């Protein structure tokens, strides 16, 4: 056990050093990524690859996001001036959620696959993370009861930003999510800032996420 822990801490440090050299994330986010174990979010059989900068399967045809992308999205989200609350669409295994829990006072996260949501809940409880509220639902509607959010972060790609999500962003807040880019066959990670005169859009980079799907998949 001790051996595995040491190996993963070293591997994690190597990964974070590599991310730091790419200059796409804040030191605060990199420090958090250096502390949150990624290997506990994936199946034991592939845990040895948890510190490669790559997506990995988490079951149900879904993937844990690439560390580079998590670093970039978390840094973008954390750039808001008020970090009271964030809404995440697509909990998946909960790794991105765990990073956000260290950046925001309250994290609200929605997942449409019940089994993934239950597993993420357990993993975060084991890590003693207690400022995350989970919901098993279709994230297209957001979570109006807890809005507005200082940041809304989507980890699945939509044709366009669902109106309910942009409606739930607080003034001076941000919405960050991948959208399908009609100009080329791919997706762009976009950052929308909510200003007093409307949303200001920025394209961050080309990305590849799983699609944002409608409806839910309950555990039988
Ligand atoms: N950040 C997660 C990413 C998982 S992949 C991680 O690193 O584990 C994207 C996730 O979005 C999947 O778990 C998928 O089931 C979920 N998803 C897709 N469409 C959704 C929707 N409409 N509402 C909520 N979650 C959705």
């Amino acid at each position: 056990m001790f051996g595995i822990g040491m190996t993963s801490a070293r591997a994690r440090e190597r990964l974070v050093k590599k991310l730091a050299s790419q200059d796409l994330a804040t030191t605060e986010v990199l420090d958090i990524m250096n502390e949150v174990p990624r290997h506990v979010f994936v199946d034991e059989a592939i845990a040895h690859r948890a510190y490669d900068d790559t997506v990995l399967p988490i079951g149900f045809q879904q993937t844990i996001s690439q560390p580079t992308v998590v670093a970039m999205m978390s840094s973008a989200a954390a750039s808001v001036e008020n970090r009271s609350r964030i809404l995440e669409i697509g909990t998946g295994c909960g790794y991105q959620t765990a990073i956000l829990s260290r950046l925001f006072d309250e994290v609200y996260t929605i997942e449409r696959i019940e089994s993934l949501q239950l597993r993420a809940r357990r993993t975060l409880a084991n890590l003693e993370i207690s400022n995350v509220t989970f919901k098993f639902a279709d994230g297209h509607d957001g979570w109006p009861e807890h809005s507005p959010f200082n940041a809304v972060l989507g980890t699945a790609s939509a044709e366009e930003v669902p109106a309910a999500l942009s409606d739930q962003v607080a003034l001076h807040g941000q919405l960050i999510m991948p959208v399908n880019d009609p100009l080329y066959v791919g997706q762009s990670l976009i950052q929308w800032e909510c200003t007093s005169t409307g949303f200001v859009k920025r394209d961050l980079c080309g990305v590849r996420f799983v699609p944002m799907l409608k409806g839910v998949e309950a555990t039988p």
Side-chain angles (χ1 to χ4, degrees):
M1 196 60 201
F2 183 66
I4 291 168
M6 290 302 285
T7 307
S8 71
R10 269 201 300 271
R12 190 155 66 237
E13 222 167 89
R14 248 195 326 269
L15 168 65
V16 170
K17 273 208 180 109
K18 179 180 169 263
L19 297 179
S21 72
Q22 293 170 343
D23 212 17
L24 43 78
T26 63
T27 309
E28 181 188 23
V29 166
L30 293 174
D31 286 347
I32 295 170
M33 289 180 75
N34 206 15
E35 283 169 26
V36 176
R38 189 168 181 255
H39 65 278
V40 302
F41 290 87
V42 296
D43 201 81
E44 243 176 274
I46 53 169
H48 63 283
R49 296 184 57 203
Y51 299 105
D52 293 349
D53 187 18
T54 181
V55 297
L56 292 170
I58 55 171
F60 307 91
Q61 298 173 323
Q62 305 304 320
T63 50
I64 178 172
S65 304
Q66 186 185 356
T68 296
V69 173
V70 172
M72 200 168 34
M73 289 178 86
S74 304
S75 299
S79 69
V80 293
E81 52 188 60
N82 179 347
R83 294 203 213 157
S84 300
R85 79 184 42 184
I86 183 165
L87 172 67
E88 178 189 45
I89 308 296
T91 318
C93 68
Y95 176 68
Q96 169 82 74
T97 322
I99 305 292
L100 296 176
S101 77
R102 300 278 299 270
L103 294 164
F104 285 79
D105 297 339
E106 295 170 17
V107 181
Y108 294 84
T109 185
I110 305 179
E111 171 57 55
R112 65 175 291 281
I113 299 177
E114 191 173 24
S115 302
L116 282 178
Q117 198 251 179
L118 293 173
R119 201 199 297 158
R121 247 181 217 271
R122 266 198 308 273
T123 310
L124 266 63
N126 287 341
L127 292 173
E128 297 179 357
I129 294 172
S130 56
N131 60 338
V132 175
T133 311
F134 297 85
K135 186 175 179 179
F136 163 52
D138 178 346
H140 279 92
D141 302 327
W143 203 333
E145 297 87 339
H146 295 289
S147 70
F149 299 96
N150 306 105
V152 174
L153 191 145
T155 69
S157 190
E159 287 299 325
E160 52 186 32
V161 174
L165 296 187
S166 49
D167 285 350
Q168 291 171 31
V169 180
L171 183 62
H172 306 307
Q174 305 220 5
L175 183 148
I176 298 143
M177 70 180 286
V179 288
N180 301 348
D181 189 335
L183 291 182
Y184 79 114
V185 191
Q187 306 163 356
S188 295
L189 184 61
I190 55 141
Q191 181 175 23
W192 277 13
E193 188 183 343
C194 180
T195 71
S196 52
T197 53
F199 280 96
V200 176
K201 185 181 166 190
R202 259 182 75 198
D203 253 302
L204 295 182
C205 59
V207 282
R208 222 169 126 183
F209 278 83
V210 295
M212 185 166 180
L213 300 175
K214 291 251 162 75
V216 294
E217 285 181 40
T219 304

